[in-house]
Amino acid sequence: MDAATNGAAPTKVDEEQARRAKRAALKELNIAQAGREPEKALDSSLKRHTALIKRMRQSLAAENHDQILKDINTLSLEKYVDEIVGAVVEGILRCKTEKDVWSAVEIISALHRRFPKTFTPALISLLSASIAPPSRAALAALSPEQREKEDSARVTRQRPVLRVCAELALVGIIRDAPDRSGGEWIMKAIKDLLSNDPSLSSLPLLLVFLKSYSRPYLGIVPPASSKQISASSEPGTLSDVTSEEAAQGNGAFPASINEEDELVEKEIRDRFKKMCEGYFDNVAKKLVIEHDRLQEQDRRNHEAYIRSGEIFEDRQQAYEKMTKSYEKLLASCQSLSELLYLPMPTLKTASQKTESIQIGMNTGSSLLGSDSDDAASGGGKWEDEEERRFYEEIPDLKDYVPRSVLGLEGDGGDESADGKEKERLEKEMVEEEFRKLEEELAEMKIDENGQAAGDARGKKPDDGKGEEDIDDAPTPTPGTPKESPSSTPQLAPQGPSQLLTALLARLPDATNRTLIDQAAVDFAFLNSKAARKRLVKFMSQVPKSRIDLLPHYSRLIAILNRYMPDVGADVVAMLDEEFRYLQRKKKVVKELAEVRLRNITFLSNLTKFGVVPPHVILHMFKVCLDDFSGTNVENLALLLEGCGRFLLRSEETRVPFAKMIELMRRKQSMAHLDQRQLLLLENAYYQCNPPERTARQVKERTPMELFIRHLIYDVLTKKTIDKVLKMLRKLDWNDQLVLRTLHKVFTKPWKIKYGHIPLLAMLTYDLQRYHPAFSIGVVDQVLEDIRRGLETNLYSMNQRRIASVKFLGELYIYRLISSSIIFDTLWTIVTFGHPEGRPTPGMPSPIDMPDDFFRIRLVCVLLDTCGMCFDHGPQEQKLNNFLTFFQLYVLSKEALPMDVEFMLTDSLEAVRPKLVMFKTYEEAAVAVDDMFAVAYQNAGIVTGDPGEDSGEESGEEDDEEKDRGEGDEEEDEEMALGEDMIDERAPSPEAVLLKSKQENVGPSEEDEAEFAKELAKLVTDTSAESRKVDKKTALALWDTALPPPVVRKKKNEEYDEDGEGTTGDAAEDSGVMKFTLFMKRGNKPQTRQIAIPAESTLAVQTRTAQMQDKVEQQHLKRLVLNYEQREEAEELKALEARSRQGPIKIRLAG
């Protein structure tokens, strides 16, 4: 081995020295002959140049090497340097082997020597771009599969380029400075590739680089012996030690190369090596993380397989993908470790299979979890404290019955010794049975049918012997008590047989602990062998319908078994024999179903009292597992429900029982069971091994918070509202904690009863008198909650949204808000999120889909709460307008469900009993258009509302903004006419904020004049700006904005670019100027004539603007005509000039 090793190492050394010598020679040649002019004349043939460039594009490999060098030395090439640079870069991509790379380097060197100033800089620039890292933005736009393909293609493309660049840096073509090598350039390029690569896709490039250039760039020499790395070596130090050994002559590389002969400076080599070692540390850390993730996923898959019997396809695919990625990373890390001579990171081995099998939905629920704090975590033997007391707190008969009656003679010392010996023997027997069970479980194999191999029948004879040994224990001799203690029952003068008969007759009525404990004491006084046999026989004849008696009978047997062990043994033997009989009668299902239920329930209760030996119940469980079908499935479910939790959390039985449960789960997954059997097993399994649940975190609240919540949530009723108000007023309102708590309580109406929301609004109104800022904050928060609900539209928030809208309506009832807020909310509900604020059947909104009817519920709740208040005055018209639009919104939805339709009908009948519903969406759309048209026409005539101005500025306003303008106008009318609602109701706290009637009479004459002047100015500016529009746009706007030509009049030629008729028909008729207002009803444009007095400022300004436009048009017409005359004159002058320059040539035909 040593000889072979020593013989192989010099070969590698020779190869590396030969490479270094070739590189050094080529470097000297490139430096010495750079820019030297050729000695002989060169060929400039286009054909040969084209052929050379084509050959370079195909490949710079060894097969084209000689021909390309010959052409480079014989052709001029000066005019084709740029094309040659691109061809060289393309040819490099086809260099696969080391020989091809060296051929490309020699070709590039030859070109460099001829054109060092034109060829080399351009080539280096292209090579730098070729090995640059990919753009993060471009990668982020790709899917994971596309990104993986892109990375793979990039690595394949950059691999030969990186190798050629590394060689060029060694032969003096790529240089950091005139007197330095290109090591810094290469290190920077590799660093950029690795630093911008979180997925490690550029790691193969580093491996390719290190395989060929670790010696010249990093100064790493291979170790002397083998590639095996010691696990005790420290990361980052092994390469230094190896280099020192090589320098001393102990390694494979002799110390024959001086520092002057190195092609890369020592400083760069050290930095390069340090960078690569740091990168290896990061890769090693990522490998450890991925390894742990893979192990965790494997463990989860194992648990899922145990739970459900299979691993779902998506989980399996994710696991396979993770495994593939991990194996790829592991191989790369191993290669990097070998190239850098650094030890691999320590990976945790796969967790060995232990006795504990994690079963359950939660990974924290372990079958073998310690039960030290089981009571606190809910994972103990017993479900609650009452059950624990029933099964564990058993009275001792010694405290109630004389010792002689129990057959205990003397002071009890011998008895305790005999008891210890008996316990020791029984423990040894139990351990032996456990050992046999474990051997049988270890031998059990599962075939494809889910059946277990192995004989489970050959164990009971040993159990019988063990029970005979128990029977051989001395039976206590009955005796007659000499002195009856106070607890002794007063026996009638009957014989023991009659007393026992009476006792057994009372047992079916002993359905609590006290009665059954007293029955045990009474039986102790009648203790005899015959009495015990009668008791055992009685226990075997429990009625099949009285399963409720079995726990109490089991407690009776447990009390007696301590001093009368033959009772417990005989009952267990009887039940065991019955179990065997039922196993032989498995095919008799219905007739013996109740018998099986009684048998398993009795055995389970006796097991929890410790009467049934653990190995017996485990053996029965195993017998059912051996034949996992039919009635045994029900038996297993009954055993798990009866004593599974106890066996799973007892020290003696949890290990083998956990194995049996695991086996049962596997068989369950492989067997073809019906739905009823699967449900039985699942319920039984989770009853004995419930998943662990964390304790519910209770939010800690201060006493003041608890008191406020108690007042609002518990105390607040119609009778106690005054008391609650007084208590709230007594609080410290200057305390920020109190104020914040009150704000939370009052702004969350969904936390109180729905019927108490009006009481909460009443409290808010009463508190406004003393704390107005608080009430304003409540209203603001409620409106914000309603708005947030419209924006998010989460199904889980629907109940809260209903309560918030109800609370808002109640706040209006108690005069905390005005009607404008209610109408704003109504319009927001039906328009928010829709294009242009108008719901359309063909244009669904992401937050209000056609099949989402919850907004209709919100409107109905708000109308039911306060809609009856809008029945007179301006508010009546406002509600009528809204209901018209609301019908449009309802008809834009799909067919309403029955409950929503009934709610809508009831709400509309309550507020407008005579309302006629629209049948189709088109009818509602026409009505809505008419409604808006009338509103804007009235606005223009009565008040000159800015709504008309805004209508001239934009041709298409969304319906919501139109409604806002209408709402403002009607609100002004409401204030002008007086507040009828205020007169009828109690005075509102905000009444002081209302304006006087004088302030709302209307605009003055000066305001009207100023408005008309500004409007006319706007019309003039818009008309002037319309001429700036290009011809196509103007024509398109003209066609879409104007009515059909039949309707138009000849003199209607002045329109603005937004399509609104500002001077539609300006003919004066009896002192009136007519304007044409263009509207859209549905998709059809319509016009409406508006008469304006000719003496008004608007008419005068419009007429003036028309005259100015006409004058301007005449001026433009004159300019055009003059321009045409000038062109004709210039053409005549040019013709005369040509005629003067020479004779006219006349060509005669024929």
Side-chain angles (χ1 to χ4, degrees):
M1 292 293 293
D2 295 341
T5 304
N6 295 334
T11 302
K12 194 170 184 179
V13 172
D14 295 341
E15 291 177 357
E16 186 62 35
Q17 288 180 347
R19 293 193 198 98
R20 193 203 64 81
K22 284 198 305 182
R23 292 164 181 159
L26 187 58
K27 182 177 181 180
E28 293 178 1
L29 187 64
N30 290 336
I31 295 175
Q33 298 184 6
R36 179 178 296 182
E37 294 294 333
E39 298 176 356
K40 57 182 179 179
L42 301 177
D43 189 359
S44 59
S45 170
L46 176 62
K47 182 177 180 180
R48 292 190 60 187
H49 281 85
T50 305
L52 173 63
I53 294 173
K54 183 177 180 181
R55 190 175 293 112
M56 285 183 173
R57 289 185 188 278
Q58 291 176 351
S59 177
L60 298 181
E63 60 268 15
N64 296 334
H65 173 261
D66 297 337
Q67 184 62 38
I68 292 176
L69 284 182
K70 180 180 177 181
D71 291 342
I72 291 174
N73 293 328
T74 57
L75 298 178
S76 60
L77 305 177
E78 285 91 352
K79 298 180 181 179
Y80 306 95
V81 172
D82 293 338
E83 296 182 26
I84 290 173
V85 170
V88 166
V89 174
E90 290 186 21
I92 289 175
L93 299 178
R94 293 168 176 82
C95 297
K96 305 298 182 184
T97 64
E98 182 180 355
K99 190 176 181 181
D100 294 341
V101 171
W102 185 251
S103 171
V105 171
E106 289 185 340
I107 293 171
I108 294 173
S109 299
L111 291 169
H112 166 73
R113 291 193 293 272
R114 287 200 56 187
F115 310 104
K117 294 184 180 180
T118 56
F119 170 78
T120 305
L123 177 66
I124 294 175
S125 177
L126 276 182
L127 292 177
S128 176
S130 299
I131 61 174
S135 172
R136 289 188 176 182
L139 289 179
L142 300 177
S143 63
E145 294 78 9
Q146 293 176 338
R147 190 182 307 170
E148 186 176 355
K149 292 181 181 179
E150 176 64 24
D151 287 337
S152 178
R154 176 181 61 83
V155 170
T156 304
R157 187 173 61 250
Q158 291 180 341
R159 185 181 291 115
V161 178
L162 182 61
R163 296 180 66 181
V164 171
C165 290
E167 292 287 357
L168 294 179
L170 294 175
V171 298
I173 295 179
I174 297 177
R175 308 176 72 179
D176 301 328
D179 55 344
R180 292 175 66 86
S181 66
E184 185 80 26
W185 191 90
I186 293 293
M187 184 173 67
K188 183 177 181 301
I190 294 179
K191 183 178 180 181
D192 291 342
L193 283 172
L194 300 179
S195 59
N196 296 320
D197 183 30
S199 61
L200 303 182
S201 59
S202 299
L203 180 56
L205 294 176
L206 179 62
L207 296 177
V208 169
F209 176 80
L210 292 177
K211 285 179 182 177
S212 303
Y213 307 104
S214 60
R215 175 66 186 88
Y217 280 99
L218 275 70
I220 295 178
V221 291
S225 56
S226 63
K227 293 184 179 181
Q228 187 67 31
I229 301 173
S230 173
S232 61
S233 59
E234 292 292 331
T237 61
L238 190 60
S239 56
D240 294 335
V241 175
T242 307
S243 300
E244 292 176 2
E245 290 178 354
Q248 295 173 3
N250 298 329
F253 276 80
S256 59
I257 301 178
N258 299 324
E259 183 61 34
E260 295 81 13
D261 298 333
E262 293 288 348
L263 299 176
V264 180
E265 293 79 6
K266 180 174 176 54
E267 174 199 357
I268 295 178
R269 293 202 308 271
D270 294 341
R271 289 167 52 201
F272 212 149
K273 183 174 68 173
K274 187 175 180 181
M275 183 192 78
C276 292
E277 289 175 349
Y279 182 73
F280 173 77
D281 293 340
N282 293 333
V283 173
K285 291 178 182 178
K286 184 174 180 62
L287 177 66
V288 173
I289 293 174
E290 292 296 323
H291 177 79
D292 293 342
R293 284 183 57 207
L294 186 64
Q295 294 291 330
E296 177 67 17
Q297 187 64 31
D298 183 59
R299 186 182 66 81
R300 291 180 180 175
N301 289 349
H302 178 64
E303 292 179 0
Y305 178 75
I306 292 176
R307 283 198 307 270
S308 58
E310 63 177 345
I311 300 176
F312 295 108
E313 185 177 355
D314 55 347
R315 185 188 289 267
Q316 183 67 23
Q317 290 178 355
Y319 179 73
E320 292 176 356
K321 185 177 180 180
M322 188 183 298
T323 303
K324 183 179 178 182
S325 174
Y326 169 74
E327 291 175 352
K328 182 178 178 182
L329 179 60
L330 178 62
S332 300
C333 189
Q334 288 174 344
S335 301
L336 195 59
S337 172
E338 293 175 359
L339 292 171
L340 295 175
Y341 300 100
L342 295 174
M344 282 286 291
T346 303
L347 300 176
K348 296 179 182 178
T349 59
S351 56
Q352 290 82 7
K353 240 185 176 181
T354 60
E355 298 284 334
S356 62
I357 302 296
Q358 297 283 341
I359 300 179
M361 294 297 292
N362 197 317
T363 56
S365 176
S366 172
L367 287 178
L368 299 183
S370 63
D371 52 348
S372 57
D373 54 347
D374 283 340
S377 63
K381 297 178 184 179
W382 319 110
E383 293 183 1
D384 50 33
E385 183 63 21
E386 181 66 25
E387 185 180 12
R388 186 196 65 80
R389 287 199 299 266
F390 182 80
Y391 286 102
E392 288 188 349
E393 296 181 0
I394 297 175
D396 192 348
L397 290 178
K398 275 193 313 183
D399 301 334
Y400 303 97
V401 181
R403 300 174 62 87
S404 59
V405 174
L406 298 176
L408 303 178
E409 304 293 341
D411 57 356
D414 297 337
E415 175 216 343
S416 60
D418 293 341
K420 291 181 181 179
E421 181 66 18
K422 187 169 64 174
E423 289 179 1
R424 185 183 63 80
L425 293 175
E426 184 176 352
K427 187 175 182 181
E428 291 178 357
M429 184 181 64
V430 169
E431 291 177 354
E432 179 66 18
E433 295 298 334
F434 281 164
R435 185 185 61 79
K436 292 179 181 180
L437 272 174
E438 289 178 358
E439 292 177 358
E440 292 179 1
L441 287 173
E443 294 174 358
M444 292 177 72
K445 304 294 182 183
I446 303 175
D447 58 14
E448 61 268 19
N449 294 326
Q451 300 297 329
D455 186 15
R457 304 281 191 259
K459 180 186 167 200
K460 197 58 191 175
D462 296 337
D463 298 342
K465 293 180 181 178
E467 292 171 3
E468 290 174 3
D469 294 338
I470 297 176
D471 287 338
D472 292 339
T475 302
T477 57
T480 304
K482 298 178 181 178
E483 296 180 1
S484 296
S486 58
S487 61
T488 302
Q490 299 295 326
L491 298 179
Q494 294 139 337
S497 178
Q498 289 80 3
L499 293 175
L500 182 60
T501 303
L503 175 63
L504 296 179
R506 296 202 314 268
L507 283 181
D509 297 329
T511 55
N512 56 51
R513 283 195 302 169
T514 305
L515 294 178
I516 207 67
D517 293 348
Q518 184 62 41
V521 173
D522 294 343
F523 182 82
F525 284 105
L526 302 174
N527 182 19
S528 66
K529 189 172 184 179
R532 293 195 296 271
K533 287 183 178 182
R534 284 188 63 184
L535 179 62
V536 172
K537 185 178 180 180
F538 176 82
M539 292 298 171
S540 65
Q541 298 173 351
V542 178
K544 294 182 292 184
S545 59
R546 294 300 305 272
I547 305 299
D548 59 305
L549 295 175
L550 297 180
H552 303 285
Y553 287 179
S554 300
R555 182 178 175 89
L556 172 65
I557 296 173
I559 296 173
L560 299 176
N561 190 60
R562 191 171 191 178
Y563 299 100
M564 308 169 197
D566 54 337
V567 174
D570 291 344
V571 172
V572 172
M574 177 268 298
L575 293 174
D576 183 63
E577 184 63 29
E578 186 180 38
F579 177 80
R580 292 171 182 273
Y581 168 78
L582 294 173
Q583 285 296 309
R584 292 193 298 268
K585 299 291 184 179
K586 287 183 293 186
K587 295 184 179 180
V588 184
V589 180
K590 294 184 178 179
E591 291 79 0
L592 298 178
E594 294 181 348
V595 179
R596 291 189 182 92
L597 175 61
R598 182 189 62 188
N599 180 265
I600 298 299
T601 306
F602 212 162
L603 283 170
S604 300
N605 282 281
L606 289 174
T607 300
K608 289 191 282 188
F609 278 110
V611 177
V612 178
H615 65 274
V616 174
I617 194 67
L618 291 178
H619 175 74
M620 293 179 179
F621 199 89
K622 180 178 173 298
V623 168
C624 295
L625 276 179
D626 289 341
D627 186 11
F628 189 73
S629 62
T631 58
N632 280 337
V633 175
E634 300 178 5
N635 292 340
L636 287 171
L638 292 173
L639 282 172
L640 286 176
E641 290 178 358
C643 59
R645 186 186 184 103
F646 176 82
L647 295 174
L648 201 56
R649 286 163 175 78
S650 297
E651 291 291 337
E652 300 175 339
T653 58
R654 60 175 179 173
V655 175
F657 193 67
K659 292 181 180 180
M660 290 183 176
I661 290 184
E662 179 191 6
L663 181 61
M664 184 199 73
R665 299 290 285 177
R666 292 180 181 176
K667 287 192 172 188
Q668 176 185 345
S669 63
M670 299 172 65
H672 298 286
L673 304 177
D674 58 30
Q675 192 64 29
R676 184 184 65 86
Q677 292 174 328
L678 287 175
L679 189 60
L680 281 175
L681 290 177
E682 288 294 326
N683 290 343
Y685 170 72
Y686 287 112
Q687 187 170 343
C688 76
N689 185 36
E692 183 176 333
R693 292 174 296 180
T694 57
R696 183 180 177 183
Q697 297 293 334
V698 180
K699 185 177 181 181
E700 295 184 0
R701 306 182 189 274
T702 61
M704 182 57 68
E705 288 180 297
L706 295 175
F707 175 69
I708 295 174
R709 291 168 62 88
H710 171 69
L711 285 179
I712 303 299
Y713 297 155
D714 302 328
V715 181
L716 181 61
T717 59
K718 289 184 179 180
K719 296 181 179 180
T720 60
I721 186 170
D722 293 333
K723 176 183 177 182
V724 172
L725 176 63
K726 292 179 181 179
M727 298 299 293
L728 292 178
R729 288 183 57 194
K730 290 180 180 179
L731 297 176
D732 184 7
W733 285 78
N734 295 324
D735 188 357
Q736 291 299 321
L737 177 61
V738 174
L739 199 59
R740 185 165 58 251
T741 304
L742 286 170
H743 182 77
K744 287 182 180 179
V745 172
F746 274 78
T747 56
K748 294 180 180 179
W750 55 85
K751 288 193 174 184
I752 66 175
K753 295 180 181 180
Y754 189 80
H756 288 180
I757 292 179
L759 303 179
L760 192 65
M762 191 183 302
L763 275 180
T764 310
Y765 167 75
D766 290 334
L767 289 172
Q768 184 199 28
R769 185 180 306 173
Y770 312 100
H771 308 283
F774 171 77
S775 299
I776 294 174
V778 170
V779 173
D780 183 67
Q781 185 62 45
V782 171
L783 293 173
E784 182 67 25
D785 291 341
I786 295 174
R787 178 77 175 200
R788 189 188 308 117
L790 294 174
E791 294 173 353
T792 57
N793 194 29
L794 297 177
Y795 178 78
S796 59
M797 306 292 289
N798 284 356
Q799 187 177 3
R800 298 186 178 188
R801 295 170 65 186
I802 289 286
S804 297
V805 170
K806 171 72 174 176
F807 189 43
L808 183 70
E810 295 294 341
L811 291 176
Y812 172 76
I813 295 295
Y814 291 98
R815 306 303 301 163
L816 283 165
I817 56 177
S818 62
S819 61
S820 60
I821 295 179
I822 296 295
F823 284 106
D824 285 347
T825 304
L826 288 172
W827 281 97
T828 302
I829 291 174
V830 296
T831 60
F832 183 78
H834 289 278
E836 300 181 357
R838 185 174 184 131
T840 308
M843 302 174 65
S845 173
I847 57 176
D848 188 23
M849 299 302 290
D851 58 349
D852 185 5
F853 310 100
F854 187 73
R855 291 194 183 186
I856 299 177
R857 293 179 181 272
L858 294 180
V859 173
C860 291
V861 169
L862 195 53
L863 291 178
D864 292 342
T865 305
C866 58
M868 71 290 297
C869 301
F870 310 131
D871 55 355
H872 61 278
Q875 296 174 347
E876 180 181 5
Q877 184 60 36
K878 291 169 71 175
L879 182 59
N880 293 337
N881 292 339
F882 169 76
L883 292 180
T884 302
F885 193 88
F886 182 49
Q887 293 184 67
L888 176 76
Y889 174 83
V890 172
L891 292 171
S892 68
K893 298 285 186 179
E894 297 179 358
L896 299 182
M898 187 178 297
D899 58 335
V900 178
E901 185 178 1
F902 288 166
M903 176 183 289
L904 176 64
T905 304
D906 295 342
S907 299
L908 294 181
E909 286 181 356
V911 293
R912 293 293 182 269
K914 299 181 181 181
L915 181 66
V916 178
M917 301 289 290
F918 298 113
K919 301 298 182 183
T920 62
Y921 179 84
E922 288 73 18
E923 294 179 8
V926 171
V928 169
D929 292 338
D930 292 339
M931 176 186 71
F932 284 126
V934 171
Y936 283 118
Q937 182 177 0
N938 294 337
I941 292 175
V942 178
T943 60
D945 194 75
E948 183 179 349
D949 185 20
S950 63
E952 293 172 355
E953 290 179 358
S954 61
E956 295 285 342
E957 278 192 6
D958 58 67
D959 295 326
E960 184 178 0
E961 293 174 351
K962 291 179 181 179
D963 175 70
R964 293 293 182 270
E966 176 195 356
D968 294 341
E969 176 262 330
E970 292 184 354
E971 191 69 21
D972 293 339
E973 292 179 2
E974 175 184 354
M975 293 179 180
L977 296 175
E979 290 289 333
D980 297 332
M981 299 298 296
I982 296 178
D983 297 335
E984 295 182 2
R985 299 182 184 176
S988 172
E990 295 183 354
V992 295
L993 299 179
L994 297 177
K995 297 181 179 180
S996 63
K997 295 184 179 180
Q998 292 295 330
E999 296 176 356
N1000 295 279
V1001 171
S1004 62
E1005 294 182 359
E1006 296 179 359
D1007 294 338
E1008 282 191 353
E1010 183 179 358
F1011 170 74
K1013 182 179 179 181
E1014 291 296 326
L1015 179 61
K1017 181 180 178 182
L1018 177 64
V1019 171
T1020 304
D1021 294 343
T1022 306
S1023 177
E1025 290 177 1
S1026 65
R1027 300 188 188 94
K1028 301 178 183 178
V1029 183
D1030 61 296
K1031 185 176 181 180
K1032 293 183 179 180
T1033 307
L1035 289 175
L1037 293 173
W1038 181 272
D1039 294 338
T1040 57
L1042 292 182
V1046 180
V1047 183
R1048 280 184 252 150
K1049 296 182 179 180
K1050 291 184 179 180
K1051 59 181 180 179
N1052 290 344
E1053 299 176 355
E1054 299 295 333
Y1055 289 91
D1056 61 356
E1057 66 180 55
D1058 292 328
E1060 293 197 18
T1062 57
T1063 62
D1065 183 9
E1068 296 186 32
D1069 186 5
S1070 65
V1072 175
M1073 177 179 285
K1074 294 184 178 180
F1075 284 78
T1076 303
L1077 176 66
F1078 294 98
M1079 301 177 299
K1080 267 192 174 183
R1081 178 171 298 175
N1083 292 326
K1084 297 180 181 179
Q1086 296 185 0
T1087 61
R1088 182 182 295 274
Q1089 298 294 330
I1090 299 179
I1092 301 296
E1095 296 81 6
S1096 65
T1097 308
L1098 175 62
V1100 173
Q1101 293 287 347
T1102 304
R1103 192 181 304 108
T1104 304
Q1106 289 178 343
M1107 297 299 297
Q1108 292 177 354
D1109 291 343
K1110 190 171 183 180
V1111 171
E1112 186 178 355
Q1113 286 181 355
Q1114 294 295 333
H1115 178 65
L1116 290 175
K1117 185 176 181 180
R1118 286 196 301 272
L1119 289 177
V1120 171
L1121 294 175
N1122 293 337
Y1123 175 74
E1124 292 178 352
Q1125 293 175 0
R1126 285 197 304 271
E1127 278 193 343
E1128 291 178 358
E1130 289 177 358
E1131 289 180 357
L1132 291 175
K1133 290 180 181 179
L1135 183 60
E1136 292 176 358
R1138 283 198 302 270
S1139 64
R1140 287 195 301 267
Q1141 289 178 0
I1144 300 175
K1145 296 181 181 181
I1146 302 175
R1147 183 178 180 181
L1148 300 177

